Amino acid sequence: MISDKNKHRFEYIWHLYNSDKTEVDLPFDQHVPCDPALWQFPKHLVEYHRLVFGLGYMSLKDKTVLDIGCGIAWYLGSMENIVKKYIGVDTNERRIKYAHVMSKLVDIDADISVSSAEQIICKADTIMMLSVTHFIPKVKDIFKKFDCENIILDCWEERNNQSLTDLISYLENKGFTLTEKELYDYADKTDLGKKQKYKGDRYILHFNRQK
């Protein structure tokens, strides 16, 4: 389950991001959570937390985690007191600005920067790609680059001419075992109030490779 503190941090960072404010404009300790009668933490994100961080606990515990396409790092609190080190990269400068704000609210060793999977040079035990796999043209090259033990993916069945079946087959041929493949389904099929533009189902996948 997601703690009330984590829910509050999530609500806070989205409030800042969507209103284009900074932590100077509205410090966290002055942010008042929404009245539950008016707004409640989305149930589909509670399920997302379970599928990614619950099922992926052993892939995160005491690991160095590289989060490719970290965005504003809204889920950073889900790794608090779990991961050894968190490395977050995103090509969007504005999102990284808010990811830094989020990192100040979480007790975690975090290294967050404006970069891409192609540019970043680091070692990681676990790679996370949440909702970005189909936007990296040569995603297989990224998996070649990082000699990791675990991979956590959030991706669609078919998008931008990339097939989930093909990707699974590629990783299995590289020695990875698909340990979890769970459908992530939310009824309204919306993201930030906008209709999704994808076809097919969306899955959370966990891979492990014994070295």
Side-chain angles (χ1 to χ4, degrees):
M1 290 295 294
I2 305 178
S3 68
D4 289 340
K5 184 178 182 180
N6 253 352
K7 292 178 181 179
H8 186 189
R9 289 185 290 205
F10 168 88
E11 185 182 331
Y12 172 72
I13 202 66
W14 273 111
H15 183 163
L16 292 186
Y17 182 74
N18 288 303
S19 59
D20 203 23
K21 293 182 178 180
T22 70
E23 70 270 37
V24 176
D25 301 319
L26 178 62
F28 180 68
D29 59 6
Q30 294 179 21
H31 180 261
V32 179
C34 283
D35 182 344
L38 301 176
W39 184 87
Q40 294 190 16
F41 193 82
K43 292 182 179 179
H44 70 82
L45 290 183
V46 175
E47 174 65 358
Y48 190 84
H49 177 277
R50 182 188 73 82
L51 294 175
V52 174
F53 302 102
L55 296 180
Y57 180 80
M58 294 308 298
S59 296
L60 300 170
K61 179 65 174 174
D62 299 325
K63 305 293 187 183
T64 296
V65 178
L66 172 60
D67 184 5
I68 296 172
C70 66
I72 64 173
W74 63 266
Y75 42 75
L76 194 57
S78 300
M79 291 177 274
E80 188 174 42
N81 300 318
I82 296 176
V83 305
K84 178 181 179 181
K85 182 178 180 64
Y86 171 86
I87 304 170
V89 297
D90 199 288
T91 57
N92 186 292
E93 292 187 13
R94 182 169 180 266
R95 290 173 187 163
I96 287 295
K97 180 179 77 171
Y98 287 95
H100 281 294
V101 175
M102 188 64 171
S103 71
K104 296 174 185 176
L105 305 177
V106 180
D107 184 12
I108 194 169
D109 180 7
D111 181 359
I112 297 171
S113 62
V114 177
S115 189
S116 66
E118 293 83 2
Q119 295 171 327
I120 188 71
I121 298 175
C122 68
K123 291 184 178 181
D125 304 305
T126 300
I127 289 179
M128 292 201 311
M129 289 187 185
L130 305 181
S131 305
V132 300
T133 309
H134 295 284
F135 297 101
I136 300 176
K138 297 181 179 180
V139 69
K140 293 176 182 177
D141 290 347
I142 304 305
F143 296 124
K144 290 179 184 177
K145 178 179 177 180
F146 298 102
D147 186 26
C148 62
E149 300 172 10
N150 312 287
I151 298 173
I152 302 175
L153 301 178
D154 160 14
C155 51
W156 285 265
E157 195 169 16
E158 187 87 32
R159 189 169 184 178
N160 293 345
N161 298 317
Q162 290 192 30
S163 163
L164 183 57
T165 300
D166 178 59
L167 184 57
I168 292 173
S169 178
Y170 171 80
L171 289 173
E172 288 180 336
N173 287 335
K174 292 297 181 181
F176 285 94
T177 299
L178 177 62
T179 57
E180 299 283 352
K181 180 185 177 184
E182 296 283 341
L183 179 68
Y184 174 48
D185 188 27
Y186 43 105
D188 60 2
K189 296 291 185 184
T190 61
D191 186 13
L192 298 182
K194 300 177 181 179
K195 289 290 185 181
Q196 291 281 13
K197 297 180 180 180
Y198 64 84
K199 295 180 180 180
D201 292 321
R202 182 176 173 183
Y203 290 91
I204 307 298
L205 303 103
H206 296 263
F207 295 87
N208 174 261
R209 177 173 61 181
Q210 298 296 328
K211 293 186 177 181

